[in-house]
Amino acid sequence: MTGFESFVSEALAKQGNSNLLRVSNEFEQVSATKLVFDGKSYINFSSNDYLGLATDFDITEFTKWISDGQSLAKPAVSSGAMASPLVTGNSQHHKQLINDLLKAIDAPSSFSGILFGSGFSANQGVLNALFKDKSKEQFVYQDKLNHASLLDAGTKLQAAGHLVQKRFKHNDVKHLSQLIKPDPSLNQLVVTESVFSMDGDKSPIKDLSALARQVGSLFMVDDAHGFGLSALAKGVTDIDLNDVDIYLVTFGKALGAQGAALFARRSIIDFLTNFSKEYIYSTHLSPIQCETVRFNLSKLVAAKSEQFSEQGLEGNEQIKPKSCCLQLANNIAYFRKIATENDLPLLPSDTAIQPIMIGDAQTTIEVANDLKARGFWVSAIRPPTVKKGQSRLRVTIASKHTLSEINELVVVLNSALQKRLLNLGLENSIKRTSETVSLNHE
Ligand SMILES: Cc1ncc(COP(=O)(O)O)c(C=O)c1O
């Protein structure tokens, strides 16, 4: 065996022995709430199509939208950008998408935007560019639970001697204040997610922003799992962008498409245009994809404005579940209510991401398999995605789930957990509490 042959087979064997082996399933059909695999139908509680925009995408309606002139794609929209953005890949489609998004997020007038092929490359692109030089003392401060694209960039830049990366305790502004340097002359960046992808809880954006501003640090928010979802926000984000220096929207979640955009003051966007290798040396997002995102965004914006004009009120007390955002909020509240009544081990999340804490990887897989046998598809999340001992099922709630699907999920979850515990004689190993579970993220 060559060096790599034994490295590869040992790594795979190790994954298998630790119940951590991943496979990429090929589904016959997938929507926000249903999927078909190997000829069998499942209720899908693993999709990030939170608002059903990908599920509802209708190619005939899209084509009509284009030909009716609601897009810039006249007379035709090409399938590919045909070049990287600084060559000939950038177009009116890209510019219009950025403008639509700037309006939808109610960005300060000083803001401009830049598109990337994915959120992963946008996150790496920001960090790699901002910290490209080794010449100054520079620091990145990341929430411990930030996405792999952010943490991985910081770790590699640190190893290469470009920066010092400090990971503050999850959502702990006080801990960050102990780490960050009160010296505006340093290059410092604080980065958080708005809604954490594996825990579903929200970050204290106002407080993190105030601290970053106080010490002269830049503040970046990755809004991959928050964008579009707030039932109470009038616009598509409930983040005040005056609090944020660099703001990431990904198109693969609520927008039901693919790609990402970063928004920041024009000087930062100009800087990324000049120095982000992920932007410069990659074929630009395709025009058809830009138009797809614009199409779905227009639906989201219309749903929001209908929601507020029809209800005519700001609070949520009397709002009927009409728009997709309100329907989602209703479904989340309903899931949490019945899951709490059934004593399921929830985390303190009021977002579409509702993890069920289990603990060890093997039990998590077994519970997920029990659910599959009963027709429910819920992802098992294991290390290294989460810390060892914190494996979980990641239930994602969508606006399109019916209350009876949610009800049935809780019933099967409850009995699958019960069965595992009885089989293992470990009634107390999974925390079952009517209070939400609190995790030690130190
Ligand atoms: C918080 C967060 N940021 C960034 C990304 C990467 O975005 P994309 O899927 O567009 O690469 C993800 C995707 O899972 C994510 O959850």
Side-chain angles (χ1 to χ4, degrees):
M1 269 208 208
T2 64
F4 266 122
E5 277 166 356
S6 52
F7 170 74
V8 166
S9 68
E10 276 165 29
L12 287 174
K14 196 168 159 211
Q15 285 284 93
N17 294 338
S18 340
N19 291 302
L20 298 177
L21 196 66
R22 267 77 170 163
V23 289
S24 190
N25 294 316
E26 282 126 22
F27 297 99
E28 284 115 74
Q29 278 176 37
V30 188
S31 76
T33 60
K34 308 270 180 323
L35 61 83
V36 178
F37 180 63
D38 249 351
K40 182 174 171 191
S41 297
Y42 298 85
I43 309 291
N44 185 5
F45 277 98
S46 292
S47 169
N48 290 334
D49 188 20
Y50 302 125
L51 300 175
L53 289 174
T55 301
D56 282 348
F57 183 78
D58 181 299
I59 191 76
T60 314
E61 194 194 341
F62 176 58
T63 313
K64 185 167 181 316
W65 182 80
I66 288 180
S67 58
D68 284 354
Q70 295 184 44
S71 100
L72 287 179
K74 291 178 282 178
V77 53
S78 60
S79 56
M82 299 175 271
S84 55
L86 302 189
V87 181
T88 57
N90 204 24
S91 71
Q92 289 297 318
H93 303 289
H94 300 86
K95 182 177 167 198
Q96 194 58 43
L97 171 57
I98 290 174
N99 287 344
D100 288 0
L101 282 162
L102 280 166
K103 196 167 162 212
I105 61 177
D106 197 16
S109 58
S110 56
F111 269 41
S112 169
I114 183 169
L115 300 172
F116 285 81
S118 72
F120 198 102
S121 69
N123 277 341
Q124 301 244 316
V126 171
L127 267 72
N128 286 335
L130 283 178
F131 295 101
K132 71 186 182 60
D133 293 341
K134 291 187 187 178
S135 57
K136 281 186 81 176
E137 257 196 299
Q138 2 195 45
F139 301 86
V140 65
Y141 302 92
Q142 302 219 42
D143 188 291
K144 280 209 150 182
L145 298 193
N146 274 358
H147 190 255
S149 50
L150 292 163
L151 291 171
D152 178 76
T155 303
K156 286 182 177 150
L157 284 160
Q158 174 161 258
H162 289 248
L163 56 73
V164 174
Q165 169 160 269
K166 300 201 176 201
R167 296 171 64 177
F168 56 93
K169 290 179 198 162
H170 180 50
N171 279 345
D172 191 335
V173 185
K174 186 155 174 252
H175 187 221
L176 174 63
S177 74
Q178 289 156 2
L179 299 175
I180 203 163
K181 303 202 180 293
D183 180 351
S185 73
L186 297 174
N187 291 350
Q188 302 195 93
L189 173 69
V190 173
V191 192
T192 187
E193 291 180 26
S194 58
V195 171
F196 285 87
S197 59
M198 294 301 138
D199 285 41
D201 56 345
K202 294 180 184 160
S203 59
I205 287 181
K206 287 259 173 219
D207 294 345
L208 289 170
S209 168
L211 177 57
R213 294 273 145 93
Q214 197 188 320
V215 300
S217 163
L218 285 180
F219 179 47
M220 172 172 173
V221 176
D222 172 342
D223 199 19
H225 293 280
F227 180 86
L229 300 189
S230 169
L232 294 183
K234 275 202 166 175
V236 295
T237 177
D238 57 1
I239 296 171
D240 178 351
L241 291 180
N242 291 301
D243 294 332
V244 177
D245 297 300
I246 303 173
Y247 175 69
L248 173 79
V249 176
T250 64
F251 307 152
K253 274 83 181 171
L255 277 172
Q258 187 151 26
L262 279 167
F263 298 95
R265 285 188 298 282
R266 175 166 288 285
S267 57
I268 294 177
I269 298 299
D270 288 347
F271 175 85
L272 292 173
T273 305
N274 278 272
F275 297 111
S276 167
K277 292 183 179 166
E278 289 77 357
Y279 176 73
I280 299 168
Y281 298 109
S282 184
T283 302
H284 211 10
L285 201 64
S286 72
I288 188 83
Q289 191 56 230
C290 292
E291 294 303 327
T292 308
V293 178
R294 290 187 62 222
F295 177 68
N296 282 357
L297 179 66
S298 72
K299 289 186 156 189
L300 177 55
V301 169
K304 292 243 76 161
S305 62
E306 194 183 316
Q307 171 189 327
F308 280 96
S309 64
E310 287 199 359
Q311 306 305 331
L313 41 78
E314 310 274 338
N316 101 0
E317 313 85 69
Q318 302 160 46
I319 297 177
K320 282 177 272 150
K322 258 195 126 186
S323 84
C324 48
C325 301
L326 290 171
Q327 186 65 57
L328 176 64
N330 247 36
N331 283 353
I332 295 166
Y334 184 70
F335 171 77
R336 283 196 69 83
K337 178 175 172 290
I338 57 170
T340 305
E341 283 164 8
N342 281 274
D343 219 9
L344 295 185
L346 295 173
L347 289 187
S349 154
D350 62 358
T351 70
I353 300 165
Q354 291 292 329
I356 303 291
M357 285 309 298
I358 297 195
D360 87 287
Q362 188 180 340
T363 312
T364 308
I365 298 278
E366 286 168 1
V367 174
N369 286 340
D370 283 356
L371 295 185
K372 278 188 191 131
R374 302 201 42 192
F376 286 82
W377 198 284
V378 182
S379 303
I381 307 292
R382 298 160 287 163
T385 310
V386 291
K387 208 165 131 181
K388 193 159 183 258
Q390 293 189 358
S391 291
R392 64 197 69 179
L393 296 175
R394 181 178 182 268
V395 172
T396 52
I397 306 288
S399 62
K400 288 188 166 289
H401 283 122
T402 62
L403 297 186
S404 81
E405 285 167 344
I406 295 173
N407 252 327
E408 282 174 53
L409 172 71
V410 171
V411 170
V412 295
L413 261 172
N414 203 14
S415 75
L417 285 173
Q418 203 80 43
K419 185 181 126 199
R420 293 308 320 150
L421 295 176
L422 292 177
N423 282 359
L424 293 165
L426 291 174
E427 286 83 343
N428 298 320
S429 78
I430 296 174
K431 194 167 163 52
R432 307 264 294 182
T433 168
S434 48
E435 298 294 312
T436 50
V437 175
S438 86
L439 288 179
N440 176 8
H441 280 307
E442 307 219 343

